[in-house]
Amino acid sequence: MADPSPDSRRDATLRADNRAMGRKLVVVVAAMFAFGYALVPVYRTICNALGINVLSLAEPDAPGVSSAAPANGQVDASRTITIEFDANVRGPWDFKPEVASMQVHPGQLATVVYEFRNRQARTMSAQAIPSYAPQQAMAHFNKVECFCFQQQTLGPGESRRWPVVFVVDGKLPKDVRTITLSYTFFEVGGKTPAEPQASARAGETRS
């Protein structure tokens, strides 16, 4: 039997290389699909770890979406959890909770009110970002209503009172007896005119 010609050998090698390349491309496409599918939970985990609530509008506890709060029959009266409230500000405004802490039972719907006052002589838009301590409590702290779900706009000197309605999941680890809910309220750039600079105001006065 005659040996295959050089052209036949090249064709066979080319076909083998094409098949190998095709298999590699299939693996790459599958890996890219899996990576894209995993981005959402990975992004959510990072946001949760940093205490950033940017996905809150898509969460079950966002406004307009059915609440995850359990029925009254699921209240665990045998456990009492202390909820501490904290408020941090980055700018010339007042922001604080009406109470420093309260005690709730897992499964019990509770409400705390935060007070805010814009001390500036201009309109501002701002957003609150929540964080939790201990970190493991975050997955069990369900907000049914919260001003942190969206940006807030307040006029010069305007004051507001915002409720936070929440429920602590009964699956909270038994060793967690205190949860600290902390909000950082900061101004969102680009939503309202910036405060006039001192030099600009001085120039207007001279003119």
Side-chain angles (χ1 to χ4, degrees):
M1 182 175 179
D3 293 336
S5 66
D7 290 340
S8 298
R9 287 195 296 271
R10 282 198 302 271
D11 291 342
T13 301
L14 183 60
R15 286 195 296 270
D17 290 343
N18 288 341
R19 287 195 295 270
M21 179 62 69
R23 287 193 294 269
K24 291 179 180 178
L25 289 176
V26 170
V27 173
V28 170
V29 169
M32 291 178 64
F33 178 81
F35 178 75
Y37 185 81
L39 275 180
V40 172
V42 169
Y43 185 62
R44 189 185 305 276
T45 300
I46 293 174
C47 290
N48 287 340
L50 296 177
I52 300 175
N53 206 24
V54 297
L55 296 176
S56 60
L57 290 177
E59 295 291 340
D61 57 357
V65 181
S66 59
S67 168
N72 290 338
Q74 294 178 295
V75 174
D76 183 2
S78 66
R79 296 178 62 192
T80 300
I81 310 297
T82 299
I83 311 297
E84 298 177 340
F85 305 105
D86 182 38
N88 302 290
V89 295
R90 294 180 181 176
W93 47 76
D94 300 324
F95 177 53
K96 64 180 181 179
E98 283 191 341
V99 297
S101 65
M102 67 171 59
Q103 292 187 328
V104 301
H105 300 301
Q108 174 188 352
L109 201 64
T111 301
V112 61
V113 175
Y114 277 75
E115 298 177 339
F116 183 90
R117 184 171 70 92
N118 178 14
R119 294 194 281 107
Q120 304 172 92
R122 63 184 179 93
T123 299
M124 63 167 290
S125 291
Q127 178 105 33
I129 292 182
S131 59
Y132 310 83
Q135 188 68 30
Q136 67 191 103
M138 177 173 54
H140 306 284
F141 195 99
N142 301 315
K143 296 188 296 299
V144 179
E145 180 181 350
C146 181
F147 55 89
C148 62
F149 289 144
Q150 56 190 357
Q151 294 178 14
Q152 306 293 336
T153 300
L154 297 95
E158 183 178 359
S159 297
R160 290 191 189 175
R161 298 172 72 252
W162 290 313
V164 178
V165 183
F166 65 91
V167 60
V168 177
D169 193 331
K171 295 180 181 179
L172 180 74
K174 299 291 185 180
D175 60 336
V176 178
R177 298 181 176 85
T178 301
I179 299 174
T180 300
L181 172 63
S182 179
Y183 284 102
T184 298
F185 208 78
F186 64 95
E187 186 166 9
V188 178
K191 297 299 180 180
T192 57
E195 186 175 12
Q197 298 296 321
S199 58
R201 290 196 296 267
E204 293 173 358
T205 302
R206 287 194 298 271
S207 61

